[in-house]
Amino acid sequence: GITPGHFPVFSKPIYNLRSMGSGSGVLASFDDYERALSPGFFWVDLHEGDHFSTDVAVVDGQAVWSRYTKGYPLNEGTFDYWAVLPDDDQALKGYLYHFITENFPGYTGMMNFETIDGRIIEMHLRFADQWPDLYGDDFIPAVISLYQDQQWPTAIGEPQAGYSVVIFDAHRQYKKPGADFIDQVITDTGISSVQLSFHEDKPAELHSMPPGGFRVAIINSFDLDAAFKARDLITAEIKRING
């Protein structure tokens, strides 16, 4: 059981099926713990340090490919942007590859790990769906080969630095900018893609979002300044059409 010496701790869902860390947060005291106590949640040690999302391809229990994406957090589960790194993080790579070998013999497929300060905080039998275009054109065909043929290509192109810039706003209902506007932003700024990550016809409270904000859009680019420019344009348009 938890004792006063454990605090602060982090509370999160046992199964993150709805994603985005909905309902998660830091518990600073036993009083916080009692107020936050809910079915389906558990507490873990609070880690501080660099936050990474790592995608790994696994063949028969052996990791054969990985990419490392560093998150730049804001507050209460929100992020300013993520940077897809062109090089491996060697210490994290060794830790995760050993974990996979020890715990997933015979598994073939993709895995995603969330880590803070080099320790696993979440694990999924999938890859991150936020930035696959930043892995290059060969990535999706490689994933298809992994599941269809249980094989991973020996090379899928030279890794490039990429950036996934996020727009978080208040928790409320939103209308989406028009497709023509988004297409023009992509053309004018040279970014890779835009995802409007919500449903207009679904009540805001039914979207799974972190406590700190409602994720409105994801902007992927190989140029960080271009992504920030696109974010400014899209943010202004969202405010214009939503008041």
Side-chain angles (χ1 to χ4, degrees), residues 49-53 68-86 89 114-116 130-131 161-168 224 228 231:
D50 289 339
H51 189 141
F52 281 89
S53 174
Y68 303 81
T69 306
K70 183 177 179 179
Y72 292 83
L74 292 171
N75 61 290
E76 297 185 279
T78 63
F79 286 84
D80 185 19
Y81 69 96
W82 296 81
V84 181
L85 306 180
D89 183 294
E114 296 275 343
T115 59
I116 295 179
Q130 186 170 328
W131 44 70
Y163 306 92
S164 190
V165 173
V166 195
I167 299 176
F168 279 100
L224 185 57
F228 285 152
R231 179 164 69 178

Side-chain angles (χ1 to χ4, degrees), residues 68 88-97 118:
Y68 303 81
D88 293 339
D89 183 294
Q90 291 300 314
L92 186 56
K93 180 177 183 176
Y95 168 60
L96 294 179
Y97 279 34

Side-chain angles (χ1 to χ4, degrees), residues 8 19 27 58 77 91 107 118 121 139 148 156 168 170 174 201 206 220:
S19 75
L27 306 179
V58 182
Y107 174 72
I121 63 167
F139 175 68
Q148 181 173 276
I156 61 169
F168 279 100
Y174 289 94
D201 57 352
L206 295 183
N220 289 347

Side-chain angles (χ1 to χ4, degrees), residues 48-169:
E48 296 180 342
D50 289 339
H51 189 141
F52 281 89
S53 174
T54 303
D55 284 327
V56 185
V58 182
V59 176
D60 195 22
Q62 299 294 315
V64 294
W65 175 94
S66 50
R67 289 295 302 272
Y68 303 81
T69 306
K70 183 177 179 179
Y72 292 83
L74 292 171
N75 61 290
E76 297 185 279
T78 63
F79 286 84
D80 185 19
Y81 69 96
W82 296 81
V84 181
L85 306 180
D87 301 311
D88 293 339
D89 183 294
Q90 291 300 314
L92 186 56
K93 180 177 183 176
Y95 168 60
L96 294 179
Y97 279 34
H98 177 74
F99 178 87
I100 292 167
T101 299
E102 289 293 306
N103 294 282
F104 288 88
Y107 174 72
T108 294
M110 296 298 300
M111 299 185 72
N112 174 264
F113 295 89
E114 296 275 343
T115 59
I116 295 179
D117 195 28
R119 308 306 296 173
I120 296 170
I121 63 167
E122 285 189 14
M123 179 188 69
H124 311 276
L125 299 180
R126 58 159 174 77
F127 60 88
D129 63 356
Q130 186 170 328
W131 44 70
D133 53 315
L134 299 179
Y135 290 161
D137 294 340
D138 295 334
F139 175 68
I140 294 301
V143 171
I144 293 171
S145 175
L146 180 65
Y147 285 96
Q148 181 173 276
D149 305 317
Q150 289 73 57
Q151 295 180 351
W152 186 261
T154 55
I156 61 169
E158 192 70 23
Q160 297 184 63
Y163 306 92
S164 190
V165 173
V166 195
I167 299 176
F168 279 100
D169 209 328

